[in-house]
Amino acid sequence: MKVSNRLWSWATLVCALALIVPAVQARTKKGDKLLKLGEKAEALKDYDTALNYYDQALDTDTGEPTYILADQTIRAKAAQVHLTQGRKLQQQQKLEEALLQFQKAFLAEPSSQIALQEIRQTTEMIKERAKAPAGTPILTPAEKARQVVEKRIGSLEGPPKLRPINDQISSLKMNNQPARVLYESVGKLAGINVLFDPSGIDTTTGKNFNLDLNNVTLEEALNYVGLVTHTFWKPISRNAIFVTQETDQKRREYQDEVVKVFYVQNASTPTEFTEIFNGVRTGAKLTTGVFSVPSQNAIIARGTPDTIALVEKLIHDLDKPKPEVVIDVIVMEVNKVKTTTIGAALAGQGGLSLPINFTPRNPVGGTSTTGTTGTGTTGTGTTGTGTTGTTTPSTSTGQFITLAQTGHLSSADFALSIPSTIVQALLSDNTTHVLQRPQLRATDGGQASLKIGEKIPYVSGSLNSAVATPGSIPYATTQFQQIDVGTEIDLKPHVNGPDDISMHIKVEISNVLQDINIAGIEEPEIGQQVDEADIRMRDGEVSILGGLSDKELSTSLSGLPGFTNIPLLGYLFGTKTKINTDNEILIALIPHIVRAPDLSNMDDEGILAGSEQVVRVSRRPETATAAPAPAAVKPPVNTPPAMPLPAPAQNPPGRSGP
């Protein structure tokens, strides 16, 4: 069985090699040459030529993976290039040339359904152009659908705007007249129609009013009349207004509303967009009619034209690009360690004592031996059983003598061992320079962090399982955490003006000093130097955040007591070691404002927003900066206008009074 299994394994291996070796050796010299030519053409973005070379290389060996992969990749690129060129030609109404590009895209990628669709659409467009008059632009189905939607949306009317024949009223004085007469007089001077609420506009029956206007616009005159008579008017067309009572019910009934979408462009985070949305809603006092679409950074507002104008103003003022700051951080660190060791030391001795070996050569009352093999006992007068070996001297801690034996001791029973001596004269001088120049960029109020270094693992805890049931295996789990070691910089800048910056900065420099043993586990000892501050500086100003200096001088003395303190003998009977450590760290900051705050509306005096109940804005005349028109061109009060009136204005409906 073993022989048959081994033969079966060898047969399997031979079959696998037979499948692999032809694949490896399938590439041909001609195919490789064509592959290189195709790669050169692809680098020049000549995808058609590259496709031709790859096809020829694939013909030399249709099973080579390298040729297949290159051919399939270049087909997708070539098809995409032809599709892009064809769409450009299609927009330029060069339909025949566009059709040719789409056909090339289909030849490059026969499985492309987009190329087939473009070929069909372009063919239909060519047929449509043959039937249409010369010069008629032919649109694709997508363009036609888009045009229909845009036309339908464009047909929606916006809020009506008054376009009177005469927008300037030079003089109008009326005494003891009802509100209806005042409106009709102003409308006659401006050439507009005035329509009234059938339920009436007088809040107090029989009350008349006085009016005296000089050199005002039509909108200002209507606002004056509405304020005096406590009425509400609104434009209903370019040459007609509607007048009713100024009440909440009438406002809700007749006030037109507008819907508009505003896009916030400079909010880079959801928090910033939410802040702008809340500011608009609170500033315009809108409890309803305003919605946010965070996915599109859009705000939808529905309200009166004055409300929409107020919302537009607020969004315009709030949606400003935030200032940006680039901070150059320079961290310079110099570490110097100088060690000097001069003197003599006893080899193999940790202290200052001279060891003395004591051996009683002829102990009284029997023979005492050490270093024997076998089993035996040591006594004062009897000899143990065993094989006696070579007698060796033993230290005093291993020998005991009786008081009777002290009389037989002589100087030959003592031995003095002098240890060897090492003479040292060593000098070690290490200097390390570290220079880091990171550059951070952050928006106003944003935070930028930079970490340069590594993570050091350490044991944070362990858990030992208790044996709860017989047969269970106890286990121990050790928990590890990691700490960042190196240079860590955290910045939070705020641009106060065009050239003034405030920053909260924290710079932490840490390194591993040594490994210490805690409960049998080696733990790293981390040295830290942290500088944290709130600073304010000008653009381009250099600020020294912290100059940290650490100088240490340590001296150690070892040797024979008494001799080490003698000036000359101290170097012969002892060793003096001096360690001089000098660490200096300098941190410098240089901020640069790359985008200043937009202060274009700092001098804005604000806009008129109406009253607590009614939002109303006023617009400055477009010709406010131009010189006033001469009085000669203004029609007199009782004289027909020089320009022909529009048809609706020739016979204003509902006219009464003088």
Side-chain angles (χ1 to χ4, degrees), residues 2-25:
K2 293 183 179 179
V3 174
S4 62
N5 291 338
R6 184 172 298 177
L7 291 175
W8 175 257
S9 300
W10 279 104
T12 304
L13 180 60
V14 170
C15 293
L17 291 175
L19 294 175
I20 295 174
V21 171
V24 174
Q25 297 179 350

Side-chain angles (χ1 to χ4, degrees), residues 313-461:
K313 167 65 174 175
L314 293 175
I315 294 178
H316 175 268
D317 292 345
L318 292 175
D319 188 20
K320 300 288 187 181
K322 300 185 69 175
E324 291 189 55
V325 181
V326 171
I327 302 99
D328 293 326
V329 183
I330 304 176
V331 180
M332 294 170 285
E333 181 179 358
V334 179
N335 300 327
K336 297 180 180 180
V337 180
K338 184 177 181 181
T339 305
T340 305
T341 303
I342 301 176
L346 301 177
Q349 303 299 325
L352 301 178
S353 62
L354 288 175
I356 300 176
N357 293 334
F358 165 68
T359 304
R361 295 190 177 183
N362 296 313
V364 179
T367 303
S368 176
T369 61
T370 61
T372 60
T373 61
T375 60
T377 59
T378 304
T380 58
T382 61
T383 305
T385 61
T387 304
T388 303
T390 304
T391 302
T392 58
S394 62
T395 61
S396 59
T397 58
Q399 296 295 330
F400 299 93
I401 62 175
T402 63
L403 185 62
Q405 291 175 330
T406 58
H408 302 280
L409 297 176
S410 65
S411 61
D413 294 320
F414 295 89
L416 179 64
S417 178
I418 304 297
S420 60
T421 303
I422 298 177
V423 178
Q424 301 184 49
L426 301 176
L427 175 63
S428 176
D429 190 354
N430 297 327
T431 302
T432 304
H433 296 269
V434 179
L435 176 61
Q436 298 176 353
R437 297 199 61 175
Q439 190 178 68
L440 302 178
R441 180 166 180 166
T443 58
D444 181 59
Q447 185 170 357
S449 299
L450 177 66
K451 295 181 181 180
I452 303 174
E454 57 185 352
K455 289 183 178 292
I456 302 297
Y458 67 93
V459 177
S460 60

Side-chain angles (χ1 to χ4, degrees), residues 52 56 108 189-190 274 289 295 304 330 335 347 403 407 540 557 619 624 647:
N52 185 24
Q56 295 180 29
L189 292 175
T274 303
S295 62
T304 65
I330 304 176
N335 300 327
L403 185 62
L557 182 64
R619 299 184 182 274

Side-chain angles (χ1 to χ4, degrees), residues 28 32 80 117 179 191 264 298 340 363 367 378 405 426 528 540 542 550:
T28 62
D32 290 344
Q80 185 61 38
Q117 182 180 0
V264 179
T340 305
T367 303
T378 304
Q405 291 175 330
L426 301 176
Q528 288 184 329
V542 180
D550 181 15

